[in-house]
Amino acid sequence: MARPKKKLSYISVPSQIITSLSSSSLQSLLISPTKSSSKPFSSSFPFPSPSYKSPRLWFLALFLVGLLGMLKLGFDLDPLTPFSPYPCPTSDGFSRSRLGIATTVRDPNAQTNQILNSIEEQRPSISTKSSEHSEFWKQPDGLGYRPCLEFSREYRRASEGIVKNRRKYLMVVVSGGMNQQRNQIVDAVVIARILGASLVVPILQVNVIWGDESEFSDIFDLDHFKRVLADDVHIVSSLPSTHIMTRPVEEKRTPLHVSPDWIRSRYLKRLNREGVLLLRGLDSRLSKDLPSDLQKLRCKVAFNALKFASPLLELGSKIAERMSSKGPYLALHLRMEKDVWVRTGCLPGLSQEYDEIVSNERKRRPELLTGRSNMSYHDRKLAGLCPLNELEVTRLLKALGAPKSTRIYWAGGQPLGGKEALRSLIEEFPHLYNKEDLALPGELEPFAKRASSMAAIDYIVSERSDVFMPSHGGNMGHAIQGHRAYLGHKKYITPNKRQMLPFFMNSSIPEEDFNRIIKELHRDSLGHPELRTSKSGRDVTKYPVPECMCNSSSKT
């Protein structure tokens, strides 16, 4: 009699589990084990002897193997990467994400994805779907304003003779940080135009604070600078041989806010005689109220001619793309460095220890205080002259409706107090990054000791953000405000410190009422078009309407 065929049972296993197993593991599952000649178990075990042919046992084995495979696929944990609400701390106290990056990856796109995934895995899991549709990201109404740099017929006619000039040369030495130097370069071009002189590429003075020895071409694209301004001013890289031995007329102390007529009456006669004029310390020397054509020239220099050098532009663009790859982001310019607290006459409020550090430094070097030395810290605070600290920045963003999942790029130097100075901000908005967090290993190394280059990278990422907010006024904040306006009035939050701080100090106000009050105070401080001419003394590179922008209802 023939033996009946065994009935076979099949178990469906997900393909992900199968592919996660090694070939040896798979073979051990498919080949039946040989029978043992010994007794299966000792009689001392209280369990019944197992049957190796039992379908239940095979199902249990497959289930356990599948579970392990799914855990491996789902987590794939790196033992070097600790669980933390922010990337691994480094020796300088700031968060970096380097430990989560595999250094063997060669593909730049794969590296970018790895660094983003590595950072995100170490942050709290917060849904970004509601964040992307939040009112916080709504852009202001630009009223149809667009760049409009149409120069007058008189200006264009005069340009023919000015750009052909080879007799008069203006040399300038610009000082300060990158954004301060940028403003002085803008004015240098305008002064050269006023004098009808050729402009020698501005010399960047070595910064005594940071020791930055960068030259113009290290920060800005020199060829682009010359090309864009070719119809306005003749620009040369150095004095020609005909003037190299000429002793320049040097002016060290130009008064503040001088007019074009003052410049001509003061310098033109001597420049015509000597051939070379050297100016130093141009910060805020030229009047903010100039004829329309010169205001347009200011905008042309600031927004079109001063393009960052390719290495900086390339890295800044990469970091901006990494920030925007997972949705909109906020750029926050934090002014919490030690020198900022000293110069403003304010206190960080972190602890008595840090307040004493600032106070002692100010007593030791009183010349660092920028002004109004007769005012107390409390009076300065209420007058809106102090930078916002991390608690105030956090409360302001929450009141304005920033979701907890908001991705924030913070620009600026190291805060006094290190990571502790950002604790409140990180706790409320855990997706907080700076360039050190987002750069791949080695990307920042060429600029490590160049503060101006680092500031340029911050500028690029901040200018391309969906929303920008400075914690304090300053050259960078003003420059980005004008640049974002010129590009279509992208959202820019100007903290209304003078009016909002009394409400910050009143702890009895319910949070709902506080948020409503703060939103109302900032209704007109979100980057809407604002006429420069509505208030005298405004810089056109901060308020480009109406001289540099026009709409269908305005004249070109």
Side-chain angles (χ1 to χ4, degrees):
M1 181 176 178
R3 295 176 61 183
K5 292 184 179 181
K6 294 181 181 179
K7 185 177 180 181
L8 300 178
S9 298
Y10 295 90
I11 300 174
S12 176
V13 182
S15 62
Q16 293 92 335
I17 296 175
I18 296 299
T19 56
S20 70
L21 300 175
S22 65
S23 58
S24 60
S25 300
L26 199 57
Q27 188 177 18
S28 67
L29 288 178
L30 296 176
I31 300 176
S32 300
T34 58
K35 295 182 180 180
S36 173
S37 60
S38 61
K39 292 182 180 180
F41 287 94
S42 171
S43 59
S44 62
F45 278 90
F47 305 106
S49 299
S51 172
Y52 289 99
K53 299 180 180 180
S54 172
R56 292 183 180 180
L57 184 61
W58 278 104
F59 180 83
L60 178 61
L62 283 173
F63 175 80
L64 291 175
V65 172
L67 181 61
L68 290 173
M70 293 173 67
L71 286 174
K72 182 179 185 301
L73 285 173
F75 294 94
D76 195 19
L77 295 178
D78 185 347
L80 293 177
T81 307
F83 287 96
S84 171
Y86 33 83
C88 311
T90 59
S91 58
D92 61 4
F94 285 94
S95 56
R96 296 177 188 261
S97 53
R98 304 282 168 79
L99 293 180
I101 305 167
T103 57
T104 57
V105 178
R106 300 292 179 86
D107 181 15
N109 293 329
Q111 285 184 314
T112 298
N113 292 333
Q114 269 198 322
I115 192 171
L116 289 170
N117 293 334
S118 173
I119 293 174
E120 293 298 334
E121 285 173 3
Q122 297 173 62
R123 304 293 170 99
S125 179
I126 301 173
S127 173
T128 58
K129 291 184 179 180
S130 59
S131 171
E132 294 181 14
H133 302 289
S134 168
E135 279 288 311
F136 181 76
W137 304 112
K138 184 178 179 181
Q139 296 297 314
D141 184 359
L143 302 178
Y145 279 103
R146 65 189 188 281
C148 188
L149 298 179
E150 185 68 29
F151 292 92
S152 69
R153 181 179 301 175
E154 291 77 11
Y155 181 93
R156 297 196 302 272
R157 186 181 300 120
S159 295
E160 297 178 5
I162 291 174
V163 298
K164 292 179 180 179
N165 167 72
R166 299 296 185 273
R167 295 185 302 104
K168 299 178 294 184
Y169 291 88
L170 173 64
M171 300 178 65
V172 296
V173 178
V174 297
S175 58
M178 189 277 293
N179 291 288
Q180 191 174 358
Q181 291 174 340
R182 190 174 179 273
N183 293 338
Q184 294 172 57
I185 293 169
V186 171
D187 282 356
V189 173
V190 176
I191 292 174
R193 173 76 191 199
I194 292 171
L195 295 172
S198 297
L199 176 66
V200 180
V201 172
I203 301 167
L204 309 189
Q205 181 175 313
V206 176
N207 193 294
V208 295
I209 297 177
W210 300 292
D212 191 341
E213 299 182 358
S214 297
E215 297 181 358
F216 185 97
S217 57
D218 294 325
I219 308 300
F220 303 105
D221 187 329
L222 179 55
D223 292 336
H224 180 83
F225 183 70
K226 291 179 178 180
R227 184 168 58 253
V228 171
L229 297 174
D231 294 332
D232 305 279
V233 175
H234 177 231
I235 300 173
V236 296
S237 297
S238 60
L239 283 174
S241 58
T242 54
H243 290 66
I244 198 69
M245 300 301 293
T246 304
R247 183 178 180 180
V249 177
E250 184 172 358
E251 181 69 54
K252 296 181 180 179
R253 295 187 178 275
T254 304
L256 294 172
H257 310 304
V258 297
S259 67
D261 289 339
W262 188 95
I263 290 173
R264 293 189 189 97
S265 63
R266 176 77 175 184
Y267 302 132
L268 193 55
K269 186 176 181 180
R270 289 188 290 170
L271 179 58
N272 286 332
R273 182 178 67 248
E274 302 295 339
V276 181
L277 171 65
L278 173 61
L279 297 180
R280 298 178 183 270
L282 289 181
D283 195 26
S284 299
R285 303 302 168 181
L286 186 59
S287 171
K288 306 302 181 188
D289 298 311
L290 298 175
S292 178
D293 284 323
L294 294 181
Q295 298 285 47
K296 293 178 189 294
L297 179 58
R298 259 185 169 152
C299 290
K300 187 175 182 179
V301 180
F303 305 135
N304 297 342
L306 283 176
K307 175 185 174 184
F308 289 113
S310 295
L312 294 173
L313 193 60
E314 181 179 347
L315 180 54
S317 300
K318 285 180 179 179
I319 293 176
E321 289 170 4
R322 290 165 191 167
M323 280 300 300
S324 62
S325 64
K326 295 192 176 182
Y329 71 95
L330 160 71
L332 187 61
H333 188 211
L334 296 177
R335 303 307 312 276
M336 297 181 183
E337 303 94 323
K338 177 182 175 181
D339 70 293
V340 174
W341 295 117
V342 173
R343 287 188 292 104
T344 57
C346 303
L347 298 175
L350 284 173
S351 66
Q352 184 177 353
E353 176 189 358
Y354 288 113
D355 288 351
E356 288 179 357
I357 290 174
V358 172
S359 298
N360 292 337
E361 181 70 12
R362 194 178 299 128
K363 290 176 183 177
R364 191 173 66 87
R365 302 183 64 187
E367 72 277 6
L368 293 178
L369 190 60
T370 51
R372 305 191 188 186
S373 57
N374 60 330
M375 293 179 69
S376 67
Y377 159 60
H378 184 73
D379 291 338
R380 287 174 177 274
K381 187 81 172 176
L382 290 178
L385 300 176
C386 291
L388 298 177
N389 60 33
E390 84 287 357
L391 285 170
E392 292 159 347
V393 169
T394 302
R395 290 194 71 190
L396 176 57
L397 289 176
K398 285 182 63 179
L400 293 176
K404 190 176 182 67
S405 58
T406 298
R407 295 164 56 79
I408 301 177
Y409 177 87
W410 69 271
Q414 295 185 5
L416 177 64
K419 187 172 65 177
E420 184 65 27
L422 302 176
R423 182 174 298 278
S424 299
L425 189 58
I426 293 173
E427 288 177 352
E428 187 60 40
F429 299 102
H431 297 288
L432 183 71
Y433 316 96
N434 64 1
K435 52 187 172 291
E436 283 81 9
D437 293 319
L438 297 165
L440 299 177
E443 283 186 325
L444 288 174
E445 188 174 343
F447 318 110
K449 296 183 179 180
R450 297 183 179 272
S452 293
S453 295
M454 292 294 199
I457 293 170
D458 278 343
Y459 188 104
I460 294 166
V461 183
S462 297
E463 182 273 310
R464 298 189 182 188
S465 65
D466 298 271
V467 180
F468 177 82
M469 187 182 88
S471 67
H472 189 55
N475 292 303
M476 178 173 171
H478 293 169
I480 290 183
Q481 178 177 345
H483 208 153
R484 292 175 71 85
Y486 190 76
L487 295 175
H489 290 92
K490 297 162 67 178
K491 189 169 183 178
Y492 180 104
I493 301 171
T494 304
N496 193 339
K497 292 186 285 188
R498 185 176 299 179
Q499 294 188 38
M500 76 181 189
L501 284 177
F503 297 102
F504 276 65
M505 297 177 180
N506 187 347
S507 59
S508 65
I509 303 177
E511 184 176 1
E512 185 176 346
D513 293 339
F514 174 83
N515 293 347
R516 179 178 51 80
I517 292 170
I518 296 303
K519 281 185 177 180
E520 181 63 25
L521 289 177
H522 290 84
R523 185 177 57 180
D524 298 323
S525 303
L526 302 176
H528 300 84
E530 195 170 350
L531 296 180
R532 188 196 70 84
T533 50
S534 64
K535 188 177 181 180
S536 63
R538 284 181 166 178
D539 192 338
V540 72
T541 60
K542 183 179 179 183
Y543 300 96
V545 178
E547 287 95 343
C548 302
M549 302 185 75
C550 54
N551 60 15
S552 57
S553 62
S554 60
K555 296 181 180 180
T556 60

